[in-house]
Every structure is written in structure tokens, then in C-alpha cells.
Amino acid sequence: MTFMSRRHLVLRIFFVVCLAAASLVEARTVQELSFERLVAESDVIVRGRVEELKTRQASDQRSIMTIVKVSVERQFKGPIITSLRIEQPGGTIADIVQGVPGLPEFSSDEKVIIFLKHHRRDVYRIVGGKQGKFSIKTLPNHNEVVEDLAHRTEALDTFVDRLTNTIKRGS
């Protein structure tokens, strides 16, 4: 094994150890939010579809940012918008993957209900990390369900009723 390949292997192992340590720290610092608190802390709550995913080098030139563009299909809370951008740390550029524990991952064309905090101008952040993203899935019988971070499902209609009732009670 050459010096450069050993060095490369050591750097990869170091990176994995750092990520593992970061996930342990993150696991202790992310506070579980009740559904009511998730709603209350959100400026905007929408149902939408992921239109575009982009990654770019962050301004510090050491980290990666993911930009998620979402088209809004239905809005439950907040000022009326037709599309929005979510920016969050982490992502993949070439063969470099940078994960951030506690933040949700998105995929193209994914249908979601998301709980958002206004960050700046037309940019939002997810409230409660993974807790603030619910994926909408279509079952073989064509019924739609909402799936949370723990992969628990609830009928979409039931979830929407619970959401709208919680928003009404909070007003």
C-alpha cells in the first residue's frame, strides 16, 4: 500500500468516526416536538412536490448545501406561496457525501407535507429536523398515506383533518 493510499484510507476512517460522533451528539440535542408544537413553531405548512434538488459548495468552501425546490399543491398555514426553496447543510458532490444527522432527505418528485420556518427572503428551513417532513405515499389500493420519520403511517385524510384542527385551535 502506498503512502498516498494509506493516507486516503486514514482520512476516510477519520471522516466516518467524526460523522458517527456527530450523530451521537445530534441524537442528544434534537428535541422531540409534539404535533401541536410542530404546528405552532411553523411559519408555513404546505403539501407539495419536490421539483428540483441541487447541491453546491457552501460559502465556507468546506461544506455542502442542498437546495430543495418544492411546488406547493396545498397550503395549510402561512402567507400564500406557489413554490419555495429549502436550504440545508449536507448533500453529495462528486464522490463526497456529507450527511447531517437529524435533517430530512428529499428525493425528486417526492410528495410531502412539510413544516417550515422562514429563514430569509424566499428560503425556508424544516422545523424540528426530520420531524417536520412527512412523505405522502400511494398504496397499491390507491389510498394515500402520510409517513413520518419513524415510518409510521396514517391515512392522508385523517392527517390533514388533524392538522387543520390543530391549526384552528392554535389561532
Short mmCIF file of all heavy atoms in Angstrom, two decimals, residues 84-122:
data_model
loop_
_atom_site.label_atom_id
_atom_site.label_comp_id
_atom_site.label_asym_id
_atom_site.label_seq_id
_atom_site.Cartn_x
_atom_site.Cartn_y
_atom_site.Cartn_z
N LEU A 84 -41.41 27.14 -3.17
CA LEU A 84 -40.49 27.56 -2.12
C LEU A 84 -39.18 26.83 -2.26
O LEU A 84 -39.08 25.83 -2.97
CB LEU A 84 -41.09 27.32 -0.73
CG LEU A 84 -41.48 25.88 -0.37
CD1 LEU A 84 -40.33 25.18 0.33
CD2 LEU A 84 -42.71 25.89 0.51
N ARG A 85 -38.18 27.36 -1.56
CA ARG A 85 -36.84 26.77 -1.55
C ARG A 85 -36.45 26.46 -0.12
O ARG A 85 -36.58 27.30 0.76
CB ARG A 85 -35.86 27.79 -2.13
CG ARG A 85 -35.09 27.28 -3.28
CD ARG A 85 -34.15 28.28 -3.88
NE ARG A 85 -33.34 28.94 -2.87
CZ ARG A 85 -32.84 30.15 -3.02
NH1 ARG A 85 -33.06 30.84 -4.10
NH2 ARG A 85 -32.09 30.68 -2.08
N ILE A 86 -35.94 25.27 0.07
CA ILE A 86 -35.40 24.86 1.37
C ILE A 86 -33.90 24.74 1.18
O ILE A 86 -33.44 24.13 0.21
CB ILE A 86 -35.98 23.50 1.81
CG1 ILE A 86 -37.49 23.57 1.94
CG2 ILE A 86 -35.33 23.03 3.11
CD1 ILE A 86 -38.16 22.21 2.01
N GLU A 87 -33.13 25.33 2.08
CA GLU A 87 -31.68 25.15 2.07
C GLU A 87 -31.29 24.48 3.37
O GLU A 87 -31.73 24.90 4.44
CB GLU A 87 -30.97 26.51 1.95
CG GLU A 87 -31.04 27.11 0.58
CD GLU A 87 -30.22 28.40 0.46
OE1 GLU A 87 -29.46 28.73 1.39
OE2 GLU A 87 -30.36 29.05 -0.57
N GLN A 88 -30.47 23.45 3.25
CA GLN A 88 -29.98 22.78 4.45
C GLN A 88 -28.59 22.22 4.19
O GLN A 88 -28.25 21.89 3.07
CB GLN A 88 -30.95 21.70 4.92
CG GLN A 88 -31.19 20.58 3.95
CD GLN A 88 -32.25 19.62 4.47
OE1 GLN A 88 -33.16 19.99 5.19
NE2 GLN A 88 -32.12 18.36 4.11
N PRO A 89 -27.80 22.12 5.25
CA PRO A 89 -26.46 21.57 5.10
C PRO A 89 -26.50 20.10 4.75
O PRO A 89 -27.45 19.40 5.09
CB PRO A 89 -25.82 21.81 6.47
CG PRO A 89 -26.93 22.07 7.41
CD PRO A 89 -28.10 22.52 6.61
N GLY A 90 -25.45 19.66 4.04
CA GLY A 90 -25.33 18.26 3.68
C GLY A 90 -25.65 18.05 2.22
O GLY A 90 -26.20 18.92 1.55
N GLY A 91 -25.24 16.89 1.71
CA GLY A 91 -25.50 16.54 0.33
C GLY A 91 -24.34 15.80 -0.29
O GLY A 91 -23.41 15.39 0.41
N THR A 92 -24.40 15.65 -1.61
CA THR A 92 -23.37 14.91 -2.34
C THR A 92 -22.88 15.74 -3.51
O THR A 92 -23.69 16.25 -4.29
CB THR A 92 -23.94 13.58 -2.87
OG1 THR A 92 -24.45 12.82 -1.78
CG2 THR A 92 -22.88 12.78 -3.59
N ILE A 93 -21.57 15.89 -3.61
CA ILE A 93 -20.93 16.49 -4.77
C ILE A 93 -19.82 15.54 -5.19
O ILE A 93 -18.93 15.24 -4.39
CB ILE A 93 -20.36 17.90 -4.46
CG1 ILE A 93 -21.49 18.88 -4.13
CG2 ILE A 93 -19.54 18.39 -5.64
CD1 ILE A 93 -21.02 20.28 -3.79
N ALA A 94 -19.92 15.06 -6.44
CA ALA A 94 -18.98 14.08 -6.97
C ALA A 94 -18.97 12.86 -6.05
O ALA A 94 -20.00 12.29 -5.78
CB ALA A 94 -17.61 14.69 -7.17
N ASP A 95 -17.80 12.50 -5.49
CA ASP A 95 -17.73 11.33 -4.61
C ASP A 95 -17.67 11.73 -3.14
O ASP A 95 -17.35 10.91 -2.28
CB ASP A 95 -16.56 10.43 -4.98
CG ASP A 95 -15.21 11.11 -4.81
OD1 ASP A 95 -15.18 12.34 -4.69
OD2 ASP A 95 -14.19 10.39 -4.80
N ILE A 96 -18.01 12.98 -2.85
CA ILE A 96 -18.01 13.45 -1.46
C ILE A 96 -19.44 13.52 -0.96
O ILE A 96 -20.29 14.21 -1.53
CB ILE A 96 -17.35 14.84 -1.34
CG1 ILE A 96 -15.90 14.77 -1.81
CG2 ILE A 96 -17.44 15.35 0.10
CD1 ILE A 96 -15.23 16.11 -1.92
N VAL A 97 -19.72 12.78 0.11
CA VAL A 97 -21.04 12.76 0.72
C VAL A 97 -20.92 13.38 2.10
O VAL A 97 -20.06 12.99 2.89
CB VAL A 97 -21.59 11.32 0.85
CG1 VAL A 97 -22.93 11.31 1.55
CG2 VAL A 97 -21.67 10.66 -0.51
N GLN A 98 -21.77 14.34 2.37
CA GLN A 98 -21.76 14.98 3.68
C GLN A 98 -23.17 14.88 4.26
O GLN A 98 -24.09 15.54 3.78
CB GLN A 98 -21.32 16.44 3.54
CG GLN A 98 -21.04 17.11 4.86
CD GLN A 98 -20.47 18.49 4.62
OE1 GLN A 98 -21.11 19.33 4.03
NE2 GLN A 98 -19.26 18.72 5.09
N GLY A 99 -23.33 14.03 5.25
CA GLY A 99 -24.62 13.85 5.89
C GLY A 99 -24.71 14.68 7.16
O GLY A 99 -23.71 14.93 7.82
N VAL A 100 -25.91 15.10 7.48
CA VAL A 100 -26.14 15.85 8.71
C VAL A 100 -27.24 15.12 9.49
O VAL A 100 -28.40 15.11 9.06
CB VAL A 100 -26.54 17.31 8.43
CG1 VAL A 100 -26.81 18.05 9.74
CG2 VAL A 100 -25.46 18.02 7.63
N PRO A 101 -26.88 14.49 10.59
CA PRO A 101 -27.87 13.75 11.38
C PRO A 101 -29.01 14.67 11.81
O PRO A 101 -28.80 15.82 12.16
CB PRO A 101 -27.08 13.27 12.60
CG PRO A 101 -25.65 13.31 12.15
CD PRO A 101 -25.55 14.44 11.18
N GLY A 102 -30.21 14.12 11.75
CA GLY A 102 -31.37 14.87 12.21
C GLY A 102 -32.09 15.66 11.13
O GLY A 102 -33.20 16.10 11.33
N LEU A 103 -31.44 15.85 9.97
CA LEU A 103 -32.10 16.58 8.88
C LEU A 103 -32.72 15.59 7.89
O LEU A 103 -32.16 14.54 7.62
CB LEU A 103 -31.10 17.48 8.15
CG LEU A 103 -30.60 18.68 8.93
CD1 LEU A 103 -29.68 19.53 8.06
CD2 LEU A 103 -31.75 19.53 9.45
N PRO A 104 -33.88 15.95 7.34
CA PRO A 104 -34.53 15.04 6.39
C PRO A 104 -33.81 15.00 5.05
O PRO A 104 -33.12 15.94 4.68
CB PRO A 104 -35.93 15.65 6.23
CG PRO A 104 -35.73 17.11 6.49
CD PRO A 104 -34.65 17.18 7.54
N GLU A 105 -34.01 13.91 4.35
CA GLU A 105 -33.52 13.78 2.98
C GLU A 105 -34.73 13.86 2.06
O GLU A 105 -35.83 13.49 2.45
CB GLU A 105 -32.80 12.45 2.80
CG GLU A 105 -31.52 12.36 3.60
CD GLU A 105 -30.80 11.03 3.42
OE1 GLU A 105 -31.18 10.25 2.52
OE2 GLU A 105 -29.86 10.79 4.19
N PHE A 106 -34.50 14.35 0.86
CA PHE A 106 -35.57 14.50 -0.12
C PHE A 106 -35.18 13.77 -1.39
O PHE A 106 -34.00 13.56 -1.67
CB PHE A 106 -35.79 15.99 -0.45
CG PHE A 106 -36.35 16.78 0.69
CD1 PHE A 106 -35.51 17.38 1.62
CD2 PHE A 106 -37.72 16.93 0.84
CE1 PHE A 106 -36.02 18.11 2.67
CE2 PHE A 106 -38.24 17.66 1.89
CZ PHE A 106 -37.40 18.26 2.81
N SER A 107 -36.19 13.40 -2.19
CA SER A 107 -35.93 12.81 -3.49
C SER A 107 -36.80 13.50 -4.53
O SER A 107 -37.87 14.02 -4.20
CB SER A 107 -36.17 11.30 -3.48
OG SER A 107 -37.49 11.02 -3.07
N SER A 108 -36.33 13.50 -5.77
CA SER A 108 -37.06 14.14 -6.86
C SER A 108 -38.46 13.56 -6.99
O SER A 108 -38.65 12.35 -6.86
CB SER A 108 -36.32 13.94 -8.18
OG SER A 108 -35.61 15.07 -8.50
N ASP A 109 -39.42 14.42 -7.25
CA ASP A 109 -40.84 14.06 -7.44
C ASP A 109 -41.51 13.53 -6.17
O ASP A 109 -42.65 13.07 -6.23
CB ASP A 109 -41.03 13.06 -8.59
CG ASP A 109 -40.75 13.68 -9.93
OD1 ASP A 109 -41.07 14.88 -10.12
OD2 ASP A 109 -40.20 13.00 -10.81
N GLU A 110 -40.83 13.59 -5.05
CA GLU A 110 -41.41 13.13 -3.80
C GLU A 110 -42.55 14.06 -3.40
O GLU A 110 -42.45 15.28 -3.50
CB GLU A 110 -40.34 13.13 -2.70
CG GLU A 110 -40.83 12.63 -1.37
CD GLU A 110 -39.74 12.62 -0.31
OE1 GLU A 110 -38.69 13.27 -0.51
OE2 GLU A 110 -39.95 11.96 0.72
N LYS A 111 -43.66 13.48 -2.94
CA LYS A 111 -44.78 14.25 -2.43
C LYS A 111 -44.61 14.34 -0.92
O LYS A 111 -44.34 13.33 -0.26
CB LYS A 111 -46.11 13.58 -2.77
CG LYS A 111 -46.39 13.56 -4.26
CD LYS A 111 -47.71 12.85 -4.53
CE LYS A 111 -47.98 12.78 -6.00
NZ LYS A 111 -49.24 12.06 -6.26
N VAL A 112 -44.78 15.54 -0.39
CA VAL A 112 -44.51 15.77 1.04
C VAL A 112 -45.51 16.74 1.65
O VAL A 112 -46.14 17.54 0.96
CB VAL A 112 -43.09 16.35 1.25
CG1 VAL A 112 -42.02 15.35 0.89
CG2 VAL A 112 -42.90 17.64 0.47
N ILE A 113 -45.62 16.66 2.96
CA ILE A 113 -46.21 17.73 3.78
C ILE A 113 -45.07 18.17 4.66
O ILE A 113 -44.46 17.35 5.38
CB ILE A 113 -47.42 17.25 4.60
CG1 ILE A 113 -48.57 16.89 3.65
CG2 ILE A 113 -47.85 18.35 5.59
CD1 ILE A 113 -49.82 16.37 4.33
N ILE A 114 -44.75 19.47 4.61
CA ILE A 114 -43.58 19.97 5.33
C ILE A 114 -43.94 21.17 6.20
O ILE A 114 -44.79 21.99 5.85
CB ILE A 114 -42.43 20.33 4.36
CG1 ILE A 114 -42.93 21.11 3.15
CG2 ILE A 114 -41.69 19.08 3.95
CD1 ILE A 114 -41.84 21.51 2.16
N PHE A 115 -43.28 21.22 7.34
CA PHE A 115 -43.45 22.26 8.35
C PHE A 115 -42.21 23.14 8.28
O PHE A 115 -41.10 22.65 8.47
CB PHE A 115 -43.60 21.62 9.73
CG PHE A 115 -44.85 20.80 9.89
CD1 PHE A 115 -45.03 19.61 9.19
CD2 PHE A 115 -45.86 21.24 10.74
CE1 PHE A 115 -46.19 18.86 9.34
CE2 PHE A 115 -47.02 20.49 10.89
CZ PHE A 115 -47.19 19.31 10.19
N LEU A 116 -42.40 24.43 8.02
CA LEU A 116 -41.28 25.29 7.67
C LEU A 116 -41.20 26.55 8.51
O LEU A 116 -42.21 27.10 8.94
CB LEU A 116 -41.40 25.71 6.19
CG LEU A 116 -41.48 24.55 5.20
CD1 LEU A 116 -42.10 25.01 3.91
CD2 LEU A 116 -40.11 23.97 4.98
N LYS A 117 -39.98 27.00 8.69
CA LYS A 117 -39.67 28.27 9.35
C LYS A 117 -39.03 29.15 8.29
O LYS A 117 -38.13 28.71 7.58
CB LYS A 117 -38.69 28.04 10.52
CG LYS A 117 -38.53 29.20 11.42
CD LYS A 117 -39.73 29.27 12.32
CE LYS A 117 -39.55 30.20 13.48
NZ LYS A 117 -40.80 30.47 14.13
N HIS A 118 -39.51 30.39 8.20
CA HIS A 118 -38.94 31.33 7.23
C HIS A 118 -37.52 31.66 7.67
O HIS A 118 -37.28 32.00 8.82
CB HIS A 118 -39.79 32.59 7.16
CG HIS A 118 -39.39 33.50 6.06
ND1 HIS A 118 -38.75 34.68 6.28
CD2 HIS A 118 -39.52 33.38 4.71
CE1 HIS A 118 -38.51 35.26 5.14
NE2 HIS A 118 -38.97 34.51 4.16
N HIS A 119 -36.57 31.52 6.74
CA HIS A 119 -35.16 31.76 7.06
C HIS A 119 -34.71 33.12 6.54
O HIS A 119 -34.20 33.94 7.29
CB HIS A 119 -34.31 30.63 6.47
CG HIS A 119 -32.85 30.78 6.70
ND1 HIS A 119 -32.29 30.81 7.96
CD2 HIS A 119 -31.82 30.90 5.83
CE1 HIS A 119 -30.98 30.97 7.84
NE2 HIS A 119 -30.67 31.02 6.56
N ARG A 120 -34.91 33.35 5.26
CA ARG A 120 -34.63 34.64 4.64
C ARG A 120 -35.35 34.69 3.31
O ARG A 120 -35.55 33.67 2.67
CB ARG A 120 -33.14 34.89 4.49
CG ARG A 120 -32.43 34.00 3.52
CD ARG A 120 -30.94 34.39 3.35
NE ARG A 120 -30.39 33.76 2.20
CZ ARG A 120 -30.00 32.50 2.14
NH1 ARG A 120 -30.09 31.74 3.22
NH2 ARG A 120 -29.51 32.00 1.03
N ARG A 121 -35.72 35.84 2.90
CA ARG A 121 -36.44 36.09 1.65
C ARG A 121 -37.30 34.90 1.25
O ARG A 121 -38.32 34.65 1.87
CB ARG A 121 -35.47 36.51 0.56
CG ARG A 121 -36.17 37.21 -0.56
CD ARG A 121 -35.25 38.03 -1.40
NE ARG A 121 -36.02 38.64 -2.45
CZ ARG A 121 -35.62 38.74 -3.68
NH1 ARG A 121 -34.42 38.31 -4.02
NH2 ARG A 121 -36.39 39.30 -4.57
N ASP A 122 -36.94 34.15 0.22
CA ASP A 122 -37.76 33.02 -0.23
C ASP A 122 -37.17 31.67 0.17
O ASP A 122 -37.43 30.66 -0.45
CB ASP A 122 -37.96 33.08 -1.75
CG ASP A 122 -36.66 32.94 -2.53
OD1 ASP A 122 -35.58 33.17 -1.93
OD2 ASP A 122 -36.72 32.59 -3.72
#
